[in-house]
Amino acid sequence: MEDLRELYQDIILDHNKNPRNFRVMEDANRVVEAYNPLCGDRYTIYLKLDGDTISDIAFTGSGCAISKSSASVMSTVLKGLRTADADGWFEKFHTLVTKGASGEGAIAIEEFGKLAAFSGISEFPARVKCAILSWHTMKNALHSDVSTVSTE
Ligand code: ZN
């Protein structure tokens, strides 16, 4: 279990230091701001939708290691997916960071891939908003034209 925790820590540190898809997307057709006032995390999420497929996803901004690495891992998971599948991942990730990877209604940790790195967040309620911020923003970007999302 110790090794697993270290692996998860490494994933978060790596994505915080070298975030993937961290750039302005000039030809995005959805651009949504994310702000978490509790922590000061502030990001812009860019989506390029091709029909109901997320053909590209990127983000810029700054915040704590949890929020930045979460946005980075999310971008790698969702790129190329259909919106219904992205919604499915949102639900699964939400369950993971609010309820953890064990207990009633839990989803097997093996199904999460790199997202499993955030399974320990459920033990730190104050950080759940950091982890879920980019996901909420992405979901809103998929389903509306709103320009600002806060987790408040
Ligand atoms: Zn944060």
Side-chain angles (χ1 to χ4, degrees), residues 8-26:
Y8 289 169
Q9 187 83 12
D10 285 349
I11 291 171
I12 289 172
L13 292 177
D14 173 42
H15 278 262
N16 178 52
K17 205 172 164 198
N18 302 300
R20 318 301 198 271
N21 303 301
F22 191 73
R23 61 188 160 81
V24 174
M25 192 195 299
E26 300 292 349

Side-chain angles (χ1 to χ4, degrees), residues 36 38-43 62-68 126-127 129-131 133:
N36 172 13
L38 292 181
C39 184
D41 310 315
R42 198 182 278 276
Y43 296 96
S62 61
C64 66
I66 299 292
S67 64
K68 185 177 268 187
R127 309 313 299 277
K129 288 190 176 191
C130 300
L133 176 66

Side-chain angles (χ1 to χ4, degrees), residues 4-75:
L4 204 55
R5 277 191 184 276
E6 271 179 33
L7 170 69
Y8 289 169
Q9 187 83 12
D10 285 349
I11 291 171
I12 289 172
L13 292 177
D14 173 42
H15 278 262
N16 178 52
K17 205 172 164 198
N18 302 300
R20 318 301 198 271
N21 303 301
F22 191 73
R23 61 188 160 81
V24 174
M25 192 195 299
E26 300 292 349
D27 60 346
N29 46 25
R30 300 285 167 87
V31 181
V32 182
E33 304 289 331
Y35 178 49
N36 172 13
L38 292 181
C39 184
D41 310 315
R42 198 182 278 276
Y43 296 96
T44 304
I45 310 271
Y46 303 87
L47 289 179
K48 189 174 175 187
L49 294 176
D50 189 0
D52 70 345
T53 299
I54 301 170
S55 63
D56 203 3
I57 177 168
F59 74 105
T60 58
S62 61
C64 66
I66 299 292
S67 64
K68 185 177 268 187
S69 59
S70 177
S72 174
V73 175
M74 178 186 79
S75 73

Side-chain angles (χ1 to χ4, degrees), residues 103-152:
E104 206 174 325
I107 298 155
I109 195 73
E110 293 78 20
E111 286 186 35
F112 285 97
K114 280 195 169 157
L115 292 175
F118 300 93
S119 59
I121 297 291
S122 62
E123 295 168 36
F124 306 96
R127 309 313 299 277
V128 169
K129 288 190 176 191
C130 300
I132 205 80
L133 176 66
S134 60
W135 285 83
H136 269 299
T137 310
M138 174 282 300
K139 193 168 163 61
N140 279 301
L142 276 183
H143 296 285
S144 73
D145 292 324
V146 296
S147 59
T148 302
V149 172
S150 163
T151 54
E152 275 304 272

